[in-house]
Amino acid sequence: MNVRHTTAQDIPLLLDIFEHARNFMRETGNPHQWNDNRPNQSLIYNDIILGQSYIVEDQGEILGVFSLIFGDDPTYDLIENGHWRNHEPYATIHRIASTHKGHGFFDALIRYCFEQCQNIRIDTHPDNQIMQKLILRNGFSYCGIIYTDDGTQRLAYQITAEDMQAMQNAQAHNKSQNISLSLS
C-alpha cells in the first residue's frame, strides 16, 4: 500500500468516500458522527492546501483518506475523566474514511503516521465501536473524553514511541512462541 498527499483532483472522489463513510456509520450504529455532512468540501480543500490530507492506495486504487495534523489541537486542551500519556509535541489523525475495498487500510495509515511522528493522538465518537476497536488494536491507549468544536463528545486516545515499542516486542514474542510451538 502507498500513502500520498491528496490533490484537488481527488476532491470529487473524496466527497463520495466521505458520503459512503457517513452511510456506513449510520448502518453500523453510529448515526450521530458527521451527520452534519462533515467533512465538507471546504474543509477537505483546506486540508489539501495545508498539506495535511493523505490518500492510501493499493496498486493505484484509492482505499481511503485521512488527515495528519502536526501541532496542538485546541479540542485536546481539555480532557475529562483521564489524562494524556504525555505533553510532548504530537500529531493528530482526523477525518478517516475508507472505501472498505482494501483490508489493512487503517493499519497502513497508522504505520505511515507513526513514521512521521512517534506521538500521535486520535479521537472518535462514542458510538463508533468499529473505530474504537481499530484504534485499540493498533496500540493506542484510551486517555479520556474531549469535546469537538461543535461541543460533541469524543473518546480520545494516544500512542507514544514507548507504546509502539512494547506492542512490537509483544508481537515478536508471540511470533517466536508460535514458531516454538510449531517445531515441537
Side-chain angles (χ1 to χ4, degrees), residues 13-29:
L13 180 58
L14 267 57
L15 291 170
D16 288 344
I17 291 171
F18 284 119
E19 182 61 28
H20 172 78
R22 282 188 288 275
N23 290 332
F24 180 79
M25 287 190 288
R26 280 191 290 272
E27 292 167 4
T28 57

Side-chain angles (χ1 to χ4, degrees), residues 4-64:
R4 67 168 173 84
H5 275 98
T6 307
T7 67
Q9 290 78 22
D10 296 316
I11 290 176
L13 180 58
L14 267 57
L15 291 170
D16 288 344
I17 291 171
F18 284 119
E19 182 61 28
H20 172 78
R22 282 188 288 275
N23 290 332
F24 180 79
M25 287 190 288
R26 280 191 290 272
E27 292 167 4
T28 57
N30 182 15
H32 305 294
Q33 186 173 357
W34 292 355
N35 62 1
D36 59 355
N37 288 324
R38 286 186 189 200
N40 60 34
Q41 185 169 345
S42 174
L43 183 57
I44 295 166
Y45 185 72
N46 190 54
D47 279 351
I48 292 169
I49 295 299
L50 295 173
Q52 57 196 28
S53 179
Y54 298 85
I55 284 181
V56 178
E57 297 176 313
D58 190 18
Q59 299 178 359
E61 182 176 12
I62 293 175
L63 303 180

Side-chain angles (χ1 to χ4, degrees), residues 12 26 42 71 79 89 113-114:
R26 280 191 290 272
S42 174
I79 187 165
C113 292
F114 204 75

